[in-house]
Amino acid sequence: MKNNRWALSIKQLGFCGGCVGFLTGLVLSTGPVSVPIFTAYGLSGGAFIGTEAASALLLYVSKAGTFAIQDALSVPVALTGVFVGGGILLGTLSSKTLVRRLSATHFSVLIDVILLISGAGLLYSAWGEK
């Protein structure tokens, strides 16, 4: 898409976000589905990570609220989520210096490699162990 100078508009970004939110409501997590949406909008580096984080925060606060209202979220499970989220926060903060040093091209390659590894892991878990 970058080679063709094509990017999402803010309205298209919102529409895609609504679709991802709907899918995330149906299944546990859509994980890497939002990555190409944010990169198609033109985000990279810290802007990408910050936008992804804000999106995830809003998404998971709304999910936690929904499940809490329906009495489907116990305190131990919620605390586990807080601890896991705290670990993710620390990991994100520790990578800040590296992200700032990466060029847009290197950041894009890093994202592609991580998505490839993630996809391979999902395929392995689906078909690898039976």
Side-chain angles (χ1 to χ4, degrees):
M1 290 188 291
K2 285 181 187 179
N3 293 339
N4 294 329
R5 299 186 195 281
W6 185 83
L8 292 176
S9 70
I10 192 72
K11 289 180 182 179
Q12 292 168 325
L13 182 67
F15 176 77
C16 290
C19 292
V20 170
F22 178 77
L23 289 173
T24 304
L26 292 175
V27 297
L28 176 65
S29 177
T30 51
V33 174
S34 63
V35 172
I37 294 169
F38 288 134
T39 57
Y41 184 66
L43 297 175
S44 181
F48 167 79
I49 293 172
T51 304
E52 175 71 27
S55 169
L57 178 65
L58 291 172
L59 175 78
Y60 289 113
V61 164
S62 68
K63 284 180 88 167
T66 299
F67 289 118
I69 288 170
Q70 297 176 356
D71 290 328
L73 181 66
S74 67
V75 172
V77 170
L79 287 174
T80 300
V82 168
F83 286 123
V84 170
I88 292 170
L89 172 72
L90 292 174
T92 301
L93 289 174
S94 67
S95 69
K96 181 179 173 181
T97 305
L98 175 64
V99 170
R100 286 188 169 176
R101 284 190 268 159
L102 291 173
S103 69
T105 302
H106 286 113
F107 184 81
S108 180
V109 169
L110 177 64
I111 292 295
D112 289 344
V113 168
I114 290 171
L115 286 174
L116 181 67
I117 292 168
S118 175
L122 288 171
L123 289 174
Y124 177 78
S125 66
W127 292 314
E129 294 185 36
K130 287 194 178 199

